[in-house]
Amino acid sequence: MSALRESPAPPRVLLLESIHPAADGVLSEAGFAIERASGALCGPALDDALARATMVGIRSKSELRAVHFERHPQLIAVGCFCIGTNQVDLAQAEAGGCAVFNSPFSNTRSVAEMTVAEAICLCRRLFEKSTQLHAGRWDKSATHSHEIRGRTLGIIGYGHIGSQVSVLAESLGMRVIFHDVVRKLPLGNAQSRPTLEAVLRECDCLTLHVPETPSTIAMIGAREIAMMKVGAILINNARGSIVDVDALATALREGRLGGAALDVFPVEPDSSSETFTSPLQACPTAILTPHIGGSTQEAQELIALEVAEKLVQFWQHGSTETCVNLPQVDLPVLRAGQLRILHVHRNVPGVLGTMHTLLASAGININAEYLQSNPATSYVILDVEQFSDPTLLDGLAAMPQTIRMRTTAGIALTQ
Ligand code: NAI
């Protein structure tokens, strides 16, 4: 194995699935070569393309499984230009020292805007009126039609999306209460409530913004709906498993709830060729959307910029901040005249000691050291003065615990 200390050709990034072109500007400015394909690739076509890449950018349809990381050990990073990372074998990527990044929060505003729009549509029964008019029925009645101004919005989960909804709703004159399992700073005039039940009983409109966890699955069922005010509305743009849709459909049919908007469902079609079925389809006061809360051009652009910047930061500085599989390290820019050694290794005792000894015996002083570990993997970064001993990096790379090593200007030394 020979240590490469000079920078080779810049990374070649394969961008699949029509990733927003905003990514190209960031990547090409950093000197990356870009190859694009409009759709998802699979089979031999994917392998052919991966063989030419040092980094790959995908969205939700391309699958990177264990075999891809085994066949293409030169891959140093994967950018998921989306929220989820289920399409990537994260454990295998970690085992090979390949960093995986995503963009968990770039569509926050899009979801928040849709939630507020739905609150207005439900309070005015706009979808019902529109559906009636499409069928020729002219009903100008104001029955069940309300302004949202002055009404109480209950938010469950006051994280990225919930807190944005809070700000937008208050600006439209709503009174906001929320419940979160973590103590959160209330924004504006919003007030926290100690329990889910307290919010259910007090709000006119309930919106859910929690992740799917054991504590949130089936969080809203018949019992919880019964606690809500008669005529209240329910919005779920979070995860389909959180609401019991049979109980909700019953409450809507009986007029117990005034309306509901759902963007997520317990079972969702994998593609547009599959038919969607739900008990809520028989409820005219339910707005149903096909998991599009975060699907806007603005969100796609933000995602492209964020993930491209993470790939560049990783390449240029070694930063793994927000990386979903390798230990996360946020690194300062390297000072001129120094060399940064980026070393991913198995998390076992003695590795740092050996590295220190190798460097010390060559008379190399370590100016800065950063270390983070996962149960299986450690990532250590050593900033040292530039040196000319060609065997030293070989020695660090050849340690049996080494998974992958490069210098900031270099490429992977071991796979
Ligand atoms: P986040 O992680 O920023 O916030 C979630 C909040 O829920 C946290 O403050 C957490 O403490 C709180 N929480 C967790 N368990 C709770 C419980 N049992 N009771 C009360 N609060 C609890 O997440 P973010 O970004 O705000 O996303 C929220 C949800 O929206 C997630 O389920 C996410 O998957 C979904 N989402 C849906 C999209 C769509 O297209 N419809 C797009 C983006 C996100």
Side-chain angles (χ1 to χ4, degrees):
M1 176 189 333
S2 82
L4 299 177
R5 276 162 283 120
E6 296 303 318
S7 175
R12 295 175 306 283
V13 192
L14 172 67
L15 296 181
L16 302 178
E17 302 184 61
S18 299
I19 286 165
H20 192 284
D24 297 46
V26 176
L27 297 171
S28 50
E29 194 173 319
F32 291 22
I34 300 167
E35 179 181 336
R36 274 185 164 273
S38 58
L41 297 180
C42 60
L46 178 59
D47 275 312
D48 282 354
L50 288 177
R52 295 189 292 274
T54 35
M55 294 186 180
V56 55
I58 59 171
R59 292 172 66 189
S60 56
K61 292 198 168 58
S62 301
E63 300 204 347
L64 294 176
R65 297 297 165 210
V67 302
H68 298 115
F69 293 104
E70 283 157 12
R71 284 191 208 130
H72 306 285
Q74 85 288 354
L75 287 174
I76 66 163
V78 175
C80 296
F81 286 72
C82 53
I83 316 296
T85 54
N86 296 346
Q87 68 282 38
V88 180
D89 187 326
L90 296 179
Q92 191 63 35
E94 177 183 342
C98 177
V100 181
F101 297 94
N102 68 339
S103 175
F105 305 121
S106 290
N107 59 11
T108 294
R109 173 70 184 211
S110 302
V111 183
E113 280 192 13
M114 191 168 96
T115 302
V116 173
E118 288 170 338
I120 297 174
C121 290
L122 290 168
C123 284
R124 296 295 299 273
R125 302 220 163 181
L126 291 184
F127 274 60
E128 218 181 336
K129 297 275 187 200
S130 172
T131 308
Q132 287 171 358
L133 203 51
H134 277 279
R137 185 163 165 228
W138 185 267
D139 173 11
K140 276 172 61 68
S141 133
T143 310
H144 301 306
S145 227
H146 297 279
E147 292 184 353
I148 57 163
R149 179 175 52 166
R151 292 173 84 77
T152 299
L153 176 70
I155 301 173
I156 307 301
Y158 205 66
H160 287 81
I161 297 172
S163 57
Q164 284 274 324
V165 171
S166 172
V167 172
L168 294 176
E170 269 204 343
S171 73
L172 291 167
M174 296 192 88
R175 182 174 161 267
V176 176
I177 58 173
F178 68 88
H179 170 64
D180 198 295
V181 282
V182 174
R183 183 174 287 279
K184 294 286 172 115
L185 177 71
L187 299 179
N189 300 311
Q191 295 176 15
S192 87
R193 294 289 180 266
T195 59
L196 167 67
E197 287 73 16
V199 175
L200 291 174
R201 292 185 195 284
E202 194 178 342
C203 69
D204 303 300
C205 170
L206 181 72
T207 184
L208 309 171
H209 300 290
V210 290
E212 182 181 86
T213 68
S215 77
T216 62
I217 290 175
M219 179 184 234
I220 305 294
R223 176 179 162 274
E224 288 72 26
I225 290 171
M227 290 181 193
M228 294 173 70
K229 292 181 188 174
V230 173
I233 62 174
L234 169 63
I235 300 173
N236 182 14
N237 291 333
R239 279 292 173 260
S241 58
I242 296 167
V243 174
D244 176 344
V245 285
D246 292 311
L248 176 59
T250 303
L252 290 172
R253 273 198 304 273
E254 292 173 352
R256 178 95 195 42
L257 290 185
L262 292 103
D263 190 44
V264 288
F265 303 90
V267 180
E268 297 179 5
D270 284 333
S271 73
S272 51
S273 58
E274 279 178 40
T275 306
F276 169 74
T277 54
S278 165
L280 295 162
Q281 287 166 309
C283 303
T285 52
I287 300 173
L288 308 180
T289 49
H291 207 145
I292 49 151
S295 304
T296 62
Q297 287 303 309
E298 288 76 10
Q300 289 305 315
E301 182 175 353
L302 275 181
I303 288 170
L305 292 171
E306 183 185 342
V307 179
E309 279 161 11
K310 287 178 181 179
L311 293 176
V312 170
Q313 285 294 314
F314 177 62
W315 174 253
Q316 291 182 339
H317 306 297
S319 171
T320 49
E321 201 186 5
T322 78
C323 181
V324 298
N325 63 336
L326 294 185
Q328 294 188 26
V329 188
D330 182 22
L331 295 162
V333 173
L334 187 66
R335 282 194 278 131
Q338 298 207 352
L339 181 74
R340 177 165 285 169
I341 299 165
L342 305 154
H343 194 271
V344 182
H345 55 263
R346 286 188 291 112
N347 185 11
V348 292
V351 178
L352 287 189
T354 308
M355 293 179 79
H356 291 170
T357 305
L358 278 167
L359 288 163
S361 59
I364 306 295
N365 193 32
I366 298 171
N367 293 324
E369 177 174 299
Y370 313 87
L371 170 75
Q372 286 295 338
S373 297
N374 287 343
T377 310
S378 289
Y379 182 34
V380 67
I381 296 94
L382 303 175
D383 290 352
V384 299
E385 299 300 328
Q386 289 276 7
F387 55 85
S388 54
D389 177 357
T391 60
L392 187 49
L393 288 178
D394 284 339
L396 293 171
M399 289 166 57
Q401 304 92 341
T402 304
I403 295 172
R404 184 182 287 272
M405 188 185 113
R406 66 185 172 102
T407 59
T408 42
I411 61 163
L413 297 177
T414 64
Q415 279 98 30

